[in-house]
Amino acid sequence: MSGENQSQAPPYKLAGLDGRSRPSVFDLGRGVSLGGREFIVMAGPCSVEADPQMLGTAREVKAAGAHLLRGGAFKPRSSPYSFQGLAEEGLKMLARARDLTGLAVVTEVMDSAEVDLVEAYADVLQVGSRNSQNFSLLKRLGQTRKPVLLKRGLMNTVEEFLGSAEYILAGGNEKVILCERGIRTFEPSTRNTLDLSAVLAVKERSHLPVIVDPSHASGRASFVPPLAKAALAVGADGLMIEVHCRPEAALCDGDESLDPAEFKSLMAELAALAPRFGRSLAGPGAPGGRGGEPVAGKTEELNDLRARIDELDDEILELVQKRADAALEIGRVKKSRALAVVDPAREKAVLDRLALKSRGRALKGRAIREIYSAIVRACRAAQAGSEEEGRT
Ligand code: PEP
Ligand code: MN
């Protein structure tokens, strides 16, 4: 509420400078340090959707030089009928992506009751814009020892933003990252209005690191690279950027998501610009990537995943062979009734049905048609082969 700050005691004595001359620098996990010279980039999809989407995007952002992987498993959607996230299943996918890439993971927690669960998987806990003044959640996060990425509320002043940070700090958690992600104004041409001045206003009053999220700020992928560069220039300590391996197929916020090539080229530009603003950023293809390599124990996890793939391949092979047996049987029945063995209309119906069934899954549309066209072709060849065998 306004007016509270009229008292003598500053409303954010821990978040405020309070005699501190140096900005806070702290570790986000996996050797990534925020608040120092290195400009930190967190990237990944809006939502965790499936293992291939998450692993594919994670590999791409890692190769482009990102320091952390983002992805929401609990999604704060305006409508209860929109995709709400995969909850714990999504957290597990994030953990697998971390194990495969070595990137630390940042993900949103929406409810005090879910802090224990999210904390078990995440390296950094995110508080979304809509929860920026959920004071019971903030108090609960004061009790964790994991860094908290606090997004600015849609309608919060800088003072209120620092007040929210204070709740976490007052609980004893010193690792708070502030994130400017755009505020709601009268302007409809962008999803929100990116308030870059807030970075300066926060830095004038607080020692806490500040990052900028140009994706939610603008809602438009083409606006993200220029706004990201502006954030570097204005003195932000890093960025959070939405990247999806196929933005057009994203279940959430595809319009504001960069594809891997766009992200890679933005990272190259940022790397070139960073030294001019007193920052460093190694950029795409930096030797060994960043965020740490997968630790030795994690190769076990990789071996488990590969064993799972082998098992699934065995099952798929068995099913494909059974399908071929059934196709041969159909071929024999048709021949005995003097019917044409190849029926293009039926083949088309098979592909259409499967493509439709695959909507919203990891493999959909064209991919499913390609796979099944190959299977149908192989079965047809087997039918033709058995006909020839029959003749000899
Ligand atoms: C997000 O980062 O996934 C998100 C929902 O952002 P915001 O809370 O800023 O809207
Ligand atoms: Mn989003």
Side-chain angles (χ1 to χ4, degrees), residues 70 75-76 108 126 128-130 151 181 216 240 242:
R70 67 148 283 148
K75 295 304 305 174
E108 177 159 355
Q126 177 172 327
S129 205
R130 289 150 193 84
K151 288 199 155 190
R181 46 76 73 204
H216 291 91
M240 171 173 265
E242 285 187 335

